[in-house]
Amino acid sequence: MAAASTADATFTVDYSCRFNPADNAYLSSTLGTPSSTTAFTMSTWVKRGALGAFTTMFSSYKGSGSGDRSAIYFRGSDNNALTVTGEEGASTPLTKTTTQLFRDPGAWYNIVVSFDLTASSSTYCRLYINGSQVTSFSTDTVPSADQALAWNRDGYTFTVGCDAKTLAGDDFDGYLSQTCLIDGQTLTASSFGETDSNGVWVPIDITGLTFGDNGFLLDYADSSDLGNDVSGNNNDFTSSGLAANDQVTDTPTTNWATWASIDAGTGT
């Protein structure tokens, strides 16, 4: 997919957060009682750094050495496909891995994952990339309706930028912007973006959404507090390995030119 360009957009995104694996950079929060354990939606804009490694954007973990863990990550072993997982106890896990590959470090992608855990397999978990629903998966295992997942659960650790179980390894490499959780609603991509007159998927203002009890919106606008939740809920995240200079102005509406990690070489 092409990098986002918003020549005629009226809404602009001012900041993103840079996650550098060398710093073990991530944000974490312990969730409270949710509005719903069956209906919720996650969205973020993402620009990748280095390719070819497991890099986690979202993760959730019950703790105490349990197997109750879920994640959304790029897969190094599958040539940069995207995987959504969900697991709870010994029940059938959710695993959806795209056939679509994400190998453009100059592109901003909008990733939306919506859950309706009471629904049939076709609508139990839906994935949208830049406004389009993904329908082709190399692995597509979906639990039966009403099976709980380790997402949006009271007392679970929710992380942005790393594996919630280890808090190290599989760290995200790149930039995240407009990162949010909507608790209590199964939304589509149109709640987070729109197509401009050039046919490009661009961000919209999402501050007016109903976020629900565990919902949050990270706009990364406060360089001294990159985990600040601006949804109105004050569901703030604790930052680790992040500094003020990890707030950057490379965003989905101001896409910087960057050195391409896929074209490495030497020079003077």
Side-chain angles (χ1 to χ4, degrees):
M1 291 204 173
S5 172
T6 58
D8 61 349
T10 57
F11 176 72
T12 59
V13 177
D14 293 327
Y15 300 103
S16 68
C17 184
R18 175 181 57 193
F19 291 80
N20 180 8
D23 298 328
N24 186 207
Y26 63 88
L27 298 162
S28 65
S29 177
T30 301
L31 298 184
T33 303
S35 298
S36 172
T37 58
T38 60
F40 45 93
T41 306
M42 288 174 277
S43 175
T44 194
W45 286 80
V46 53
K47 183 176 181 178
R48 301 195 66 190
L51 309 183
F54 281 84
T55 55
T56 303
M57 287 174 289
F58 294 120
S59 183
S60 179
Y61 177 55
K62 182 178 182 178
S64 302
S66 72
D68 304 340
R69 177 172 56 169
S70 300
I72 300 173
Y73 57 91
F74 292 108
R75 294 174 61 93
S77 61
D78 287 335
N79 206 19
N80 302 294
L82 180 68
T83 289
V84 179
T85 67
E87 197 167 353
E88 185 72 19
S91 56
T92 302
L94 165 73
T95 306
K96 297 177 82 75
T97 298
T98 64
T99 57
Q100 180 180 351
L101 306 179
F102 299 84
R103 299 181 294 188
D104 184 355
W108 277 98
Y109 302 99
N110 178 216
I111 297 173
V112 176
V113 185
S114 67
F115 295 86
D116 181 357
L117 305 189
T118 66
S120 63
S121 59
S122 62
T123 53
Y124 185 93
C125 173
R126 286 178 286 185
L127 171 64
Y128 302 86
I129 305 295
N130 288 355
S132 298
Q133 184 174 349
V134 179
T135 57
S136 178
F137 298 93
S138 60
T139 301
D140 193 1
T141 304
V142 179
S144 58
D146 297 317
Q147 179 176 303
L149 295 179
W151 283 119
N152 197 30
R153 303 289 296 276
D154 185 18
Y156 284 45
T157 298
F158 191 102
T159 55
V160 176
C162 79
D163 183 337
K165 182 176 182 178
T166 62
L167 300 180
D170 300 341
D171 292 353
F172 182 68
D173 188 331
Y175 308 86
L176 297 178
S177 186
Q178 296 290 99
T179 302
C180 71
L181 167 67
I182 305 297
D183 175 12
Q185 299 179 75
T186 300
L187 302 180
T188 64
S190 62
S191 294
F192 306 95
E194 64 185 3
T195 303
D196 70 9
S197 60
N198 296 314
V200 176
W201 188 252
V202 298
I204 60 175
D205 185 358
I206 60 175
T207 56
L209 292 175
T210 299
F211 289 87
D213 290 342
N214 272 344
F216 60 81
L217 171 59
L218 305 179
D219 66 356
Y220 310 112
D222 184 348
S223 63
S224 66
D225 185 8
L226 292 170
N228 183 44
D229 169 30
V230 297
S231 71
N233 285 338
N234 293 320
N235 290 329
D236 296 340
F237 281 66
T238 300
S239 66
S240 179
L242 292 166
N245 63 358
D246 289 311
Q247 180 202 67
V248 296
T249 54
D250 187 342
T251 75
T253 57
T254 309
N255 190 11
W256 288 3
T258 55
W259 291 109
S261 59
I262 58 176
D263 188 20
T266 58
T268 299

